[in-house]
Amino acid sequence: MKLVLEAVEDGIVLPVRVRAGAARNAISVGSDGTLRVGVTQVAERGKANRAVIALLSKQLSIRKSQIALQSGQTSSQKQFRITDVTPEAFVAAFA
């Protein structure tokens, strides 16, 4: 399945479906092309959002400061802006 993402001037905007309180940290691609991220942290006071950022930065080998939550602070449907990453480099990191 092809990942759905939007190229912007300084990087990409990535739609993510987050499952907080999962049994383990995991990243997969859903049938609709969105990235699905499960984190063990609970969805309280931004803990799960910070865990998603840490997991994505580790997978992409980039700094956490390059990833920002753009929308969906309290929703399971989120959009993250990732700077200084091309769509091709992002897709290659999940191949």
Side-chain angles (χ1 to χ4, degrees):
M1 171 55 56
K2 184 177 179 180
L3 276 171
V4 175
L5 51 88
E6 176 187 348
V8 292
E9 185 177 315
D10 61 345
I12 61 172
V13 174
L14 177 69
V16 177
R17 180 157 179 94
V18 176
R19 180 166 172 247
R24 61 185 174 89
N25 291 332
I27 300 175
S28 64
V29 180
S31 60
D32 58 353
T34 60
L35 203 63
R36 297 185 183 263
V37 179
V39 292
T40 57
Q41 287 291 331
V42 294
E44 135 185 321
R45 295 186 183 157
K47 290 179 184 176
N49 292 336
R50 288 190 296 274
V52 170
I53 289 171
L55 190 60
L56 287 173
S57 71
K58 184 177 181 181
Q59 179 73 32
L60 294 168
S61 299
I62 61 173
R63 296 181 312 275
K64 288 187 267 187
S65 62
Q66 289 178 258
I67 304 173
L69 180 62
Q70 183 167 303
S71 66
Q73 179 73 28
T74 59
S75 171
S76 64
Q77 302 281 351
K78 302 180 185 299
Q79 286 193 337
F80 288 92
R81 177 180 284 265
I82 304 174
T83 58
D84 301 325
V85 173
T86 64
E88 296 80 17
F90 182 84
V91 170
F94 289 94

